[in-house]
Amino acid sequence: MIEGFVALYIFMLAAFTGYEVISKVPVILHTPLMSGSNFVHGIVLVGTMVALGHAETGMQQLVGFVAVILAAGNAVGGYVVTERMLEMFKSSKGNQ
């Protein structure tokens, strides 16, 4: 029972810290941070695949499968958004 409260406390502390850190980032640094976070999302995807590979029960497999789908969508979406943001910084060839 106490382990659940500790996990909830850690989650709330991480959420608060993450919000405070991200809210103080200047706009010019968002693109490099997105690229860095995409790297982390790739690691999360690998972790979900490993967890799915170790699943034994049907419920564990279902949760692992959903986790893989969500992690893959998050990683792909992050790369798409980063690519679109980087396109905004490229100059058109006609304006040179």
Side-chain angles (χ1 to χ4, degrees):
M1 178 73 175
I2 199 76
E3 293 171 357
F5 286 119
V6 171
L8 180 62
Y9 174 74
I10 291 171
F11 175 75
M12 290 173 28
L13 185 62
F16 175 75
T17 304
Y19 176 78
E20 288 298 316
V21 168
I22 295 299
S23 67
K24 306 225 180 333
V25 172
V27 175
I28 193 73
L29 293 178
H30 278 244
T31 301
L33 286 176
M34 283 290 293
S35 297
S37 69
N38 288 337
F39 171 73
V40 172
H41 294 277
I43 294 173
V44 169
L45 178 58
V46 170
T48 59
M49 289 188 290
V50 169
L52 178 59
H54 286 74
E56 296 176 358
T57 67
M59 185 58 136
Q60 289 175 347
Q61 290 173 345
L62 177 65
V63 171
F65 179 74
V66 170
V68 168
I69 296 299
L70 292 175
N74 198 7
V76 170
Y79 281 111
V80 169
V81 169
T82 300
E83 186 64 31
R84 288 185 65 189
M85 289 176 70
L86 290 174
E87 286 293 322
M88 294 188 319
F89 293 108
K90 291 183 181 176
S91 63
S92 61
K93 296 187 183 215
N95 292 340
Q96 291 181 355

